Amino acid sequence: MCKIIKLRRGLDMNLKGGLSAGSPVTETKASLVAVIPDDFPGFVPKLSVHEGDEVECGSELLHDKNCEEIKLVSPVSGKVKEIVRGERRKILRVIVEADPSGNNSKAFDVSGIDKKENLTEVLMKSGLWAMMRQRPYDIIPSPGTTPVNIFISAFDSSPLAPTLADSVKRKDREIAEGIRALARLTSGKVYVSTRQGEECPLPEEATHIIIEGPHPAGNAGVQAANIAPVNKGETIWTLDIVTAARIGTLLTSGKADWSTEVALVGSDVKTPKTVKTAVGCRIKDIVKDDIKTSDHHLRIISGNVLTGTAETADGFLHYPYRQVTVIPEGDDVDEFMGWASMSPEKMSVSHSFLSSFMKKKKFAPDARLHGGRRAMIMSEQYDKVMPMDILPEYLVKAILAKDIDQMEKLGIYEVAPEDFALCEYIDPSKLELQKIVREGLDYLRKELE
């Protein structure tokens, strides 16, 4: 019998423009895809190709400067169209123009994967190793470490997120093979967390956990903190069920599957739908003509409204490649009383606004901050949406002060930036908490390693 964990703290945001049972499913062939090194914390990119090179799906584009065995690969076959660099020649992205005639996939040698060393090698060469995360530090796992446990999230609780179970339908065998492989890489257990009532056939190597509660219940790190928290000196790995299925596909067929299902959602989308395409696809190929004709400015987000990255239509999907959200920008709005408006259409968690009492009403918020950044206020607001046994406000203060001892005592080894997304949303001080936590993790890693 599986264990049930009920989380009380958190917040579900009721937004307009979500998927429904009858939402259409379409397929689009990516014309351009991009691999973006910044999507993979801890990865120090070094080029393995040049502009104009022909590549297969699964061919190496970049490798880690500190560990050459860890690769980032092309999600499609085609030609390297452009290598985009930023300041100090930093590699921002590698753009591949897809071959319209087909998608030739590179084959990997999956013999001998019963041995941990061989399994690790094929995962790193295939690019799937980079799809997992290690805690502490929320980075790509270090090949020389053995996690005490591995945590797989089989659902996404973020606003307007798609159902991950739909993305892995008819992949029971692949999921089982992926979990069995991951079980060989850990000294402990492989935990798989699902929602109540969701079907997810699992092999005996998996420990099934049912998670109930609001967002961020779907975050693998939150699940880990409530199942078996990571302690100082220990390492855990986290991933989602889609990545586990991709690992299984690689080990059963010798080829990696870089297709993905993307939810096109948001209040400014004509008809929310699911788009089948390739990882890293250009956003223009996904949205096409599905954005409402509007006289106000729009924000296109690769990801969800809490943790996603603002992009233009010419931008690209970012990891974890499962959602594009379109909402009003809000920079051209002129309304009476501004942020202090008492309109019931104004979404807020504060009881000063009528909307906080409308639990079932769906809202169409824009991207404005509704207030200016100011000194940090110790209001204990973060605790209401943080379902982890930490003191988030004090941890943030310790990070800002670069106090390593306090950071360790207050639980920095357990957290990732995404765990603070809701805290950032309700923060009266308007602090960039996810950025602060990311910088704190990077600083801690630099100092201790």
Side-chain angles (χ1 to χ4, degrees):
M1 184 176 179
C2 59
K3 182 179 180 181
I4 299 177
I5 296 177
K6 297 182 179 180
L7 304 181
R8 303 296 182 187
R9 290 175 289 176
L11 177 67
D12 285 329
M13 299 171 65
N14 292 325
L15 306 184
K16 293 180 180 178
L19 297 174
S20 62
S23 296
V25 179
T26 62
E27 188 169 350
T28 183
K29 186 173 177 61
S31 58
L32 293 175
V33 300
V35 174
I36 304 171
D38 281 350
D39 288 345
F40 305 93
F43 186 88
V44 182
K46 191 170 183 179
L47 283 169
S48 303
V49 293
H50 300 89
E51 290 184 3
D53 286 357
E54 299 284 343
V55 293
E56 294 179 302
C57 178
S59 293
E60 176 185 343
L61 296 179
L62 298 152
H63 62 268
D64 189 352
K65 186 176 181 180
N66 298 326
C67 181
E68 293 189 8
E69 291 78 12
I70 299 178
K71 319 287 186 185
L72 295 183
V73 303
S74 174
V76 296
S77 61
K79 181 185 293 186
V80 178
K81 177 182 174 68
E82 186 180 4
I83 297 169
V84 182
R85 294 181 181 269
E87 294 181 4
R88 302 179 67 179
R89 294 187 56 77
K90 176 184 177 181
I91 302 171
L92 300 181
R93 56 186 176 270
V94 179
I95 301 175
V96 178
E97 184 176 15
D99 183 356
S101 62
N103 194 26
N104 299 321
S105 296
K106 180 179 179 180
F108 295 90
D109 182 8
V110 294
S111 61
I113 56 172
D114 290 338
K115 295 182 178 180
K116 179 180 176 180
E117 296 77 13
N118 295 343
L119 176 59
T120 299
E121 182 181 1
V122 73
L123 290 178
M124 290 192 292
K125 284 183 177 179
S126 67
L128 289 174
W129 187 271
M131 299 295 155
M132 300 188 289
R133 293 292 176 267
Q134 166 192 304
R135 299 200 187 194
Y137 310 128
D138 187 44
I139 58 173
I140 296 173
S142 301
T145 61
T146 299
V148 294
N149 293 300
I150 296 177
F151 297 86
I152 301 175
S153 180
F155 67 98
D156 188 347
S157 60
S158 55
L160 303 180
T163 303
L164 295 189
D166 293 340
S167 300
V168 292
K169 277 185 177 178
R170 297 178 294 278
K171 293 185 178 180
D172 295 350
R173 178 173 174 244
E174 288 82 358
I175 291 172
E177 288 298 323
I179 291 173
R180 292 190 185 103
L182 291 168
R184 295 196 289 273
L185 298 177
T186 176
S187 58
K189 298 180 179 180
V190 178
Y191 293 96
V192 181
S193 300
T194 69
R195 285 292 200 192
Q196 183 75 268
E198 287 188 355
E199 294 186 7
C200 187
L202 300 172
E204 61 182 13
E205 288 84 356
T207 301
H208 187 193
I209 306 290
I210 292 176
I211 305 287
E212 297 181 358
H215 184 65
N219 290 2
V222 169
Q223 296 166 7
N226 287 275
I227 298 170
V230 59
N231 298 310
K232 183 177 180 180
E234 295 180 342
T235 298
I236 62 170
W237 294 354
T238 63
L239 63 153
D240 59 29
I241 196 70
V242 177
T243 302
R246 287 195 178 111
I247 292 173
T249 300
L250 171 68
L251 301 182
T252 54
S253 68
K255 296 181 180 181
D257 178 14
W258 291 108
S259 63
T260 187
E261 293 188 2
V262 181
L264 178 58
V265 293
S267 57
D268 275 284
V269 173
K270 292 178 182 177
T271 304
K273 64 179 182 178
T274 300
V275 181
K276 295 183 178 180
T277 186
V279 161
C281 176
R282 184 171 58 170
I283 290 177
K284 182 186 293 185
D285 295 335
I286 297 172
V287 300
K288 294 183 178 177
D289 299 322
D290 290 306
I291 297 180
K292 294 178 181 178
T293 302
S294 177
D295 57 355
H296 58 261
H297 299 164
L298 300 177
R299 175 171 292 195
I300 300 175
I301 304 169
S302 177
N304 64 71
V305 294
L306 293 174
T307 63
T309 303
E311 283 284 357
T312 64
D314 289 323
F316 296 87
L317 271 178
H318 288 257
Y319 173 88
Y321 316 111
R322 64 170 74 114
Q323 187 175 347
V324 172
T325 310
V326 186
I327 63 173
E329 181 67 52
D331 60 348
D332 54 347
V333 173
D334 185 12
E335 62 182 357
F336 177 65
M337 294 181 68
W339 66 267
S341 169
M342 297 302 294
S343 169
E345 299 299 320
K346 182 80 67 177
M347 187 176 76
S348 177
V349 296
S350 170
H351 291 328
S352 300
F353 293 82
L354 295 174
S355 59
S356 66
F357 300 98
M358 303 175 181
K359 303 301 181 183
K360 295 184 179 181
K361 181 178 175 61
K362 293 186 181 294
F363 297 90
D366 54 43
R368 286 178 292 169
L369 283 178
H370 294 295
R373 293 189 172 93
R374 57 185 73 89
M376 186 174 180
I377 302 170
M378 300 296 285
S379 60
E380 298 184 358
Q381 291 294 312
Y382 302 170
D383 295 323
K384 297 178 181 179
V385 295
M386 175 65 80
M388 301 172 74
D389 189 19
I390 63 172
L391 299 173
E393 288 178 329
Y394 291 95
L395 176 56
V396 170
K397 289 186 71 173
I399 293 172
L400 291 172
K402 289 184 168 56
D403 188 333
I404 292 178
D405 288 340
Q406 283 299 314
M407 289 158 65
E408 291 180 339
K409 291 177 182 178
L410 293 167
I412 194 168
Y413 292 121
E414 297 183 50
V415 303
E418 65 177 3
D419 300 328
F420 281 77
L422 275 176
C423 299
E424 184 174 304
Y425 167 66
I426 68 168
D427 183 18
S429 301
K430 311 298 180 184
L431 298 178
E432 295 180 286
L433 296 180
Q434 295 180 79
K435 181 181 178 182
I436 290 170
V437 173
R438 177 74 268 163
E439 291 174 350
L441 291 168
D442 292 343
Y443 172 77
L444 185 68
R445 180 176 171 230
K446 180 181 178 181
E447 291 297 310
L448 298 184
E449 293 188 352

mmCIF file of all heavy atoms in Angstrom, residues 268-290:
data_model
loop_
_atom_site.group_PDB
_atom_site.id
_atom_site.type_symbol
_atom_site.label_atom_id
_atom_site.label_comp_id
_atom_site.label_asym_id
_atom_site.label_seq_id
_atom_site.Cartn_x
_atom_site.Cartn_y
_atom_site.Cartn_z
ATOM 1 N N ASP A 268 -4.631 34.933 -23.228
ATOM 2 C CA ASP A 268 -4.585 35.527 -24.565
ATOM 3 C C ASP A 268 -4.357 34.507 -25.666
ATOM 4 O O ASP A 268 -3.937 34.855 -26.764
ATOM 5 C CB ASP A 268 -3.500 36.615 -24.605
ATOM 6 C CG ASP A 268 -4.015 37.953 -24.112
ATOM 7 O OD1 ASP A 268 -4.746 38.621 -24.863
ATOM 8 O OD2 ASP A 268 -3.725 38.316 -22.963
ATOM 9 N N VAL A 269 -4.629 33.245 -25.366
ATOM 10 C CA VAL A 269 -4.600 32.195 -26.387
ATOM 11 C C VAL A 269 -6.027 31.937 -26.851
ATOM 12 O O VAL A 269 -6.945 31.812 -26.034
ATOM 13 C CB VAL A 269 -3.980 30.900 -25.820
ATOM 14 C CG1 VAL A 269 -4.104 29.758 -26.812
ATOM 15 C CG2 VAL A 269 -2.521 31.134 -25.477
ATOM 16 N N LYS A 270 -6.239 31.873 -28.157
ATOM 17 C CA LYS A 270 -7.585 31.667 -28.694
ATOM 18 C C LYS A 270 -8.196 30.373 -28.170
ATOM 19 O O LYS A 270 -9.271 30.371 -27.577
ATOM 20 C CB LYS A 270 -7.536 31.640 -30.227
ATOM 21 C CG LYS A 270 -7.190 32.949 -30.884
ATOM 22 C CD LYS A 270 -7.136 32.781 -32.399
ATOM 23 C CE LYS A 270 -6.738 34.089 -33.088
ATOM 24 N NZ LYS A 270 -6.610 33.920 -34.564
ATOM 25 N N THR A 271 -7.517 29.285 -28.420
ATOM 26 C CA THR A 271 -7.988 27.973 -27.971
ATOM 27 C C THR A 271 -6.820 27.231 -27.347
ATOM 28 O O THR A 271 -5.906 26.792 -28.066
ATOM 29 C CB THR A 271 -8.547 27.144 -29.143
ATOM 30 O OG1 THR A 271 -9.587 27.882 -29.793
ATOM 31 C CG2 THR A 271 -9.106 25.822 -28.639
ATOM 32 N N PRO A 272 -6.784 27.096 -26.032
ATOM 33 C CA PRO A 272 -5.696 26.339 -25.398
ATOM 34 C C PRO A 272 -5.621 24.928 -25.971
ATOM 35 O O PRO A 272 -6.657 24.282 -26.185
ATOM 36 C CB PRO A 272 -6.114 26.316 -23.920
ATOM 37 C CG PRO A 272 -6.962 27.527 -23.753
ATOM 38 C CD PRO A 272 -7.720 27.671 -25.035
ATOM 39 N N LYS A 273 -4.403 24.470 -26.213
ATOM 40 C CA LYS A 273 -4.245 23.163 -26.842
ATOM 41 C C LYS A 273 -2.900 22.564 -26.488
ATOM 42 O O LYS A 273 -2.035 23.216 -25.889
ATOM 43 C CB LYS A 273 -4.371 23.293 -28.360
ATOM 44 C CG LYS A 273 -3.270 24.130 -29.012
ATOM 45 C CD LYS A 273 -3.447 24.201 -30.525
ATOM 46 C CE LYS A 273 -2.326 24.992 -31.192
ATOM 47 N NZ LYS A 273 -2.464 25.034 -32.661
ATOM 48 N N THR A 274 -2.720 21.313 -26.874
ATOM 49 C CA THR A 274 -1.451 20.611 -26.714
ATOM 50 C C THR A 274 -0.788 20.486 -28.075
ATOM 51 O O THR A 274 -1.432 20.083 -29.053
ATOM 52 C CB THR A 274 -1.668 19.220 -26.109
ATOM 53 O OG1 THR A 274 -2.288 19.346 -24.829
ATOM 54 C CG2 THR A 274 -0.350 18.481 -25.951
ATOM 55 N N VAL A 275 0.483 20.840 -28.125
ATOM 56 C CA VAL A 275 1.233 20.788 -29.385
ATOM 57 C C VAL A 275 2.352 19.767 -29.251
ATOM 58 O O VAL A 275 3.177 19.860 -28.339
ATOM 59 C CB VAL A 275 1.826 22.176 -29.740
ATOM 60 C CG1 VAL A 275 2.585 22.097 -31.065
ATOM 61 C CG2 VAL A 275 0.725 23.219 -29.809
ATOM 62 N N LYS A 276 2.377 18.805 -30.148
ATOM 63 C CA LYS A 276 3.464 17.821 -30.183
ATOM 64 C C LYS A 276 4.566 18.345 -31.083
ATOM 65 O O LYS A 276 4.327 18.662 -32.255
ATOM 66 C CB LYS A 276 2.952 16.474 -30.703
ATOM 67 C CG LYS A 276 1.924 15.820 -29.794
ATOM 68 C CD LYS A 276 1.506 14.455 -30.335
ATOM 69 C CE LYS A 276 0.519 13.772 -29.402
ATOM 70 N NZ LYS A 276 0.103 12.440 -29.898
ATOM 71 N N THR A 277 5.752 18.458 -30.568
ATOM 72 C CA THR A 277 6.867 19.020 -31.331
ATOM 73 C C THR A 277 8.181 18.478 -30.775
ATOM 74 O O THR A 277 8.193 17.445 -30.103
ATOM 75 C CB THR A 277 6.815 20.567 -31.289
ATOM 76 O OG1 THR A 277 7.825 21.096 -32.142
ATOM 77 C CG2 THR A 277 6.984 21.088 -29.878
ATOM 78 N N ALA A 278 9.280 19.186 -31.041
ATOM 79 C CA ALA A 278 10.597 18.751 -30.565
ATOM 80 C C ALA A 278 11.056 19.639 -29.421
ATOM 81 O O ALA A 278 10.686 20.814 -29.323
ATOM 82 C CB ALA A 278 11.624 18.807 -31.701
ATOM 83 N N VAL A 279 11.862 19.077 -28.553
ATOM 84 C CA VAL A 279 12.467 19.817 -27.447
ATOM 85 C C VAL A 279 13.233 21.023 -28.004
ATOM 86 O O VAL A 279 13.941 20.921 -29.006
ATOM 87 C CB VAL A 279 13.422 18.889 -26.666
ATOM 88 C CG1 VAL A 279 14.396 19.681 -25.830
ATOM 89 C CG2 VAL A 279 12.623 17.914 -25.798
ATOM 90 N N GLY A 280 13.072 22.198 -27.389
ATOM 91 C CA GLY A 280 13.797 23.392 -27.824
ATOM 92 C C GLY A 280 13.227 24.061 -29.047
ATOM 93 O O GLY A 280 13.870 24.926 -29.647
ATOM 94 N N CYS A 281 11.995 23.717 -29.417
ATOM 95 C CA CYS A 281 11.372 24.255 -30.636
ATOM 96 C C CYS A 281 11.234 25.775 -30.562
ATOM 97 O O CYS A 281 11.077 26.356 -29.489
ATOM 98 C CB CYS A 281 10.000 23.602 -30.810
ATOM 99 S SG CYS A 281 9.041 24.228 -32.206
ATOM 100 N N ARG A 282 11.257 26.419 -31.726
ATOM 101 C CA ARG A 282 11.014 27.859 -31.782
ATOM 102 C C ARG A 282 9.563 28.137 -31.406
ATOM 103 O O ARG A 282 8.640 27.447 -31.848
ATOM 104 C CB ARG A 282 11.317 28.407 -33.176
ATOM 105 C CG ARG A 282 11.181 29.914 -33.302
ATOM 106 C CD ARG A 282 11.705 30.431 -34.618
ATOM 107 N NE ARG A 282 11.021 29.812 -35.750
ATOM 108 C CZ ARG A 282 11.147 30.218 -37.007
ATOM 109 N NH1 ARG A 282 11.948 31.225 -37.285
ATOM 110 N NH2 ARG A 282 10.505 29.603 -37.969
ATOM 111 N N ILE A 283 9.346 29.151 -30.581
ATOM 112 C CA ILE A 283 8.004 29.433 -30.075
ATOM 113 C C ILE A 283 7.051 29.821 -31.193
ATOM 114 O O ILE A 283 5.859 29.494 -31.158
ATOM 115 C CB ILE A 283 8.075 30.520 -28.990
ATOM 116 C CG1 ILE A 283 8.759 29.944 -27.738
ATOM 117 C CG2 ILE A 283 6.694 31.058 -28.641
ATOM 118 C CD1 ILE A 283 8.966 30.923 -26.618
ATOM 119 N N LYS A 284 7.552 30.482 -32.217
ATOM 120 C CA LYS A 284 6.709 30.871 -33.348
ATOM 121 C C LYS A 284 6.047 29.652 -33.985
ATOM 122 O O LYS A 284 4.890 29.715 -34.434
ATOM 123 C CB LYS A 284 7.549 31.622 -34.393
ATOM 124 C CG LYS A 284 6.755 32.125 -35.598
ATOM 125 C CD LYS A 284 7.672 32.721 -36.651
ATOM 126 C CE LYS A 284 8.333 33.993 -36.151
ATOM 127 N NZ LYS A 284 9.146 34.657 -37.208
ATOM 128 N N ASP A 285 6.745 28.532 -34.037
ATOM 129 C CA ASP A 285 6.178 27.317 -34.622
ATOM 130 C C ASP A 285 5.078 26.727 -33.750
ATOM 131 O O ASP A 285 4.251 25.949 -34.234
ATOM 132 C CB ASP A 285 7.282 26.267 -34.820
ATOM 133 C CG ASP A 285 8.321 26.698 -35.837
ATOM 134 O OD1 ASP A 285 7.970 27.522 -36.704
ATOM 135 O OD2 ASP A 285 9.470 26.230 -35.763
ATOM 136 N N ILE A 286 5.071 27.072 -32.471
ATOM 137 C CA ILE A 286 4.059 26.543 -31.552
ATOM 138 C C ILE A 286 2.821 27.426 -31.526
ATOM 139 O O ILE A 286 1.690 26.945 -31.633
ATOM 140 C CB ILE A 286 4.651 26.417 -30.128
ATOM 141 C CG1 ILE A 286 5.804 25.406 -30.122
ATOM 142 C CG2 ILE A 286 3.572 26.017 -29.123
ATOM 143 C CD1 ILE A 286 6.561 25.360 -28.818
ATOM 144 N N VAL A 287 3.018 28.737 -31.391
ATOM 145 C CA VAL A 287 1.865 29.640 -31.242
ATOM 146 C C VAL A 287 1.168 29.914 -32.572
ATOM 147 O O VAL A 287 -0.054 30.050 -32.626
ATOM 148 C CB VAL A 287 2.281 30.958 -30.569
ATOM 149 C CG1 VAL A 287 2.862 30.694 -29.198
ATOM 150 C CG2 VAL A 287 3.289 31.738 -31.407
ATOM 151 N N LYS A 288 1.938 30.030 -33.660
ATOM 152 C CA LYS A 288 1.398 30.286 -34.994
ATOM 153 C C LYS A 288 0.355 31.400 -34.938
ATOM 154 O O LYS A 288 0.640 32.520 -34.550
ATOM 155 C CB LYS A 288 0.852 28.996 -35.598
ATOM 156 C CG LYS A 288 1.933 27.959 -35.882
ATOM 157 C CD LYS A 288 1.387 26.731 -36.548
ATOM 158 C CE LYS A 288 2.514 25.745 -36.855
ATOM 159 N NZ LYS A 288 1.999 24.493 -37.451
ATOM 160 N N ASP A 289 -0.900 31.083 -35.317
ATOM 161 C CA ASP A 289 -1.965 32.096 -35.317
ATOM 162 C C ASP A 289 -2.923 31.902 -34.149
ATOM 163 O O ASP A 289 -4.087 32.321 -34.215
ATOM 164 C CB ASP A 289 -2.749 32.036 -36.641
ATOM 165 C CG ASP A 289 -1.870 32.326 -37.843
ATOM 166 O OD1 ASP A 289 -0.997 33.205 -37.727
ATOM 167 O OD2 ASP A 289 -2.050 31.675 -38.885
ATOM 168 N N ASP A 290 -2.457 31.281 -33.086
ATOM 169 C CA ASP A 290 -3.344 30.939 -31.976
ATOM 170 C C ASP A 290 -3.397 31.998 -30.887
ATOM 171 O O ASP A 290 -4.044 31.797 -29.856
ATOM 172 C CB ASP A 290 -2.912 29.603 -31.358
ATOM 173 C CG ASP A 290 -3.200 28.434 -32.286
ATOM 174 O OD1 ASP A 290 -4.357 28.315 -32.715
ATOM 175 O OD2 ASP A 290 -2.271 27.663 -32.582
#
